[in-house]
Amino acid sequence: MSLGEFLRNRRGRVSPAEAGLPAGTGRRQTPGLRREELAALAGVSVDYYTRLERGRDTNPGRSVLDALASVLRLDDDERAHLHRLAGPAADAKESGKESRKESGKEVRPALRELLETVRPTPAYVLTQTSDLLAANEEGGSLLPGLTVPGNLVTYVFTHPAAREVFVSWRRMAEDCVAHLRTVADGPEHAALIAELRHRSDEFADLWATYDVRVKSGSRRAFQHVLAGRLELTSEILTAVDGQRFVMFRADPGSPDHAALELLTPPGGATQSAAQSAMQSAMQAPPGSTTEAGHD
């Protein structure tokens, strides 16, 4: 993803009024700020800013980036993304190395042990690009159809069960795409984006909006065929090798916490039982009691 693409996108999102400029006269041909307006507000020449947008200058100083970020009203995640895009070639090479390092599929024993320790809380080990490396039984039950090997983002956009499981499917989809924008470019990342853009028009549309947001703990609602509706909070821990430990916990003593016990199949069965139940629910006639609702 280029620096110029990001600057053009964000420039189009800031109105003159939001930037403290007078309304002016005449019709504006494009939404947002003009190049000359952004350059003046950031304290750089129009020629220099134009070179940045067109990719002719790819290594601006930190002070320039901070000035542009302030005018463009970027939040912390977006500001970090701007600096990452503007990094020198050497940094880009290091990012590629880190991306390859993060693509390792070996789950450390400590993370596997943690998956069992937190039960019955559903938990997963994911790469930065959301490849699923491991999950406990409750994790498999909560997201039927998501298996190893597999990818959480691909699951969200292409697996029919995902639209039943995530009560606020749209918000989950937006968060997944925004998170992918924060991941360092690499072969696996590029291949995943290309595949998803080909398989899902909804993904392609969200990717084009260029929202940038690091995934962090948030409240999510799930619809489970056995446990019913669950309100859970995600907690995300990132290891030094880039792997993420993700769990969806419930407040101790709450009905949701008690319902988590229902995610463990009787007799230690695998997620296939929950998946079969989900498939039956999806095939139920409209209006039946097994049909999941959505926010």
Side-chain angles (χ1 to χ4, degrees):
M1 312 308 155
S2 71
L3 173 63
E5 179 188 359
F6 185 58
L7 288 172
R8 285 191 297 273
N9 179 281
R10 286 305 186 272
R11 178 165 62 85
R13 294 189 182 194
V14 180
S15 69
E18 289 174 323
L21 297 175
T25 59
R27 182 179 179 182
R28 303 179 73 90
Q29 295 181 345
T30 57
L33 296 174
R34 298 186 177 103
R35 285 197 187 104
E36 58 268 25
E37 292 171 335
L38 176 53
L41 291 168
V44 299
S45 70
V46 178
D47 179 64
Y48 179 68
Y49 177 75
T50 301
R51 293 202 308 271
L52 287 177
E53 270 203 7
R54 293 179 177 174
R56 296 174 183 169
D57 191 319
T58 58
N59 189 20
R62 177 173 293 274
S63 60
V64 171
L65 294 174
D66 286 339
L68 290 171
S70 296
V71 177
L72 295 173
R73 306 164 68 89
L74 303 186
D75 61 24
D76 290 344
D77 289 341
E78 293 165 338
R79 185 180 293 260
H81 185 66
L82 176 66
H83 280 270
R84 184 165 58 250
L85 289 175
D91 286 350
K93 291 179 182 179
E94 289 303 316
S95 294
K97 291 178 183 178
E98 184 66 19
S99 178
R100 288 191 291 274
K101 180 180 178 183
E102 290 172 358
S103 65
K105 306 301 182 183
E106 285 297 320
V107 180
R108 290 186 292 110
L111 291 181
R112 288 196 180 276
E113 182 179 345
L114 192 56
L115 285 173
E116 296 302 310
T117 301
V118 301
R119 295 181 65 189
T121 295
Y124 314 84
V125 178
L126 305 169
T127 66
Q128 285 297 299
T129 53
S130 296
D131 289 335
L132 178 65
L133 303 182
N136 59 20
E137 286 191 1
E138 290 77 11
S141 178
L142 183 65
L143 302 180
L146 177 60
T147 58
V148 179
N151 181 276
L152 176 61
V153 186
T154 302
Y155 173 81
V156 168
F157 281 94
T158 66
H159 199 292
R163 295 177 187 265
E164 303 299 319
V165 169
F166 295 105
V167 175
S168 296
W169 179 88
R170 177 73 181 188
R171 185 165 69 90
M172 181 64 181
E174 291 171 347
D175 287 346
C176 284
V177 177
H179 169 77
L180 280 180
R181 283 289 189 183
T182 71
V183 178
D185 287 337
E188 292 186 10
H189 181 264
L192 176 63
I193 300 306
E195 177 191 357
L196 286 168
R197 292 176 71 179
H198 175 72
R199 296 181 64 183
S200 170
D201 290 340
E202 288 168 301
F203 177 89
D205 290 342
L206 287 174
W207 186 253
T209 65
Y210 214 135
D211 284 337
V212 178
R213 188 167 54 255
V214 175
K215 263 195 175 183
S216 57
S218 60
R219 190 80 170 169
R220 297 201 187 277
F222 299 84
Q223 186 69 32
H224 190 266
V225 292
L226 301 178
R229 183 181 173 117
L230 295 166
E231 297 280 348
L232 305 175
T233 300
S234 63
E235 300 289 350
I236 302 174
L237 307 175
T238 302
V240 292
D241 55 7
Q243 293 180 359
R244 291 180 293 151
F245 184 88
V246 181
M247 61 181 178
F248 291 100
R249 66 171 186 82
D251 295 331
S254 68
D256 291 319
H257 190 269
L260 288 179
E261 297 286 350
L262 298 176
L263 298 182
T264 305
T270 65
Q271 68 163 329
S272 58
Q275 186 170 354
S276 298
M278 174 62 75
Q279 291 173 344
S280 299
M282 291 171 59
Q283 295 169 359
S288 66
T289 57
T290 58
E291 190 168 284
H294 292 269
D295 279 355

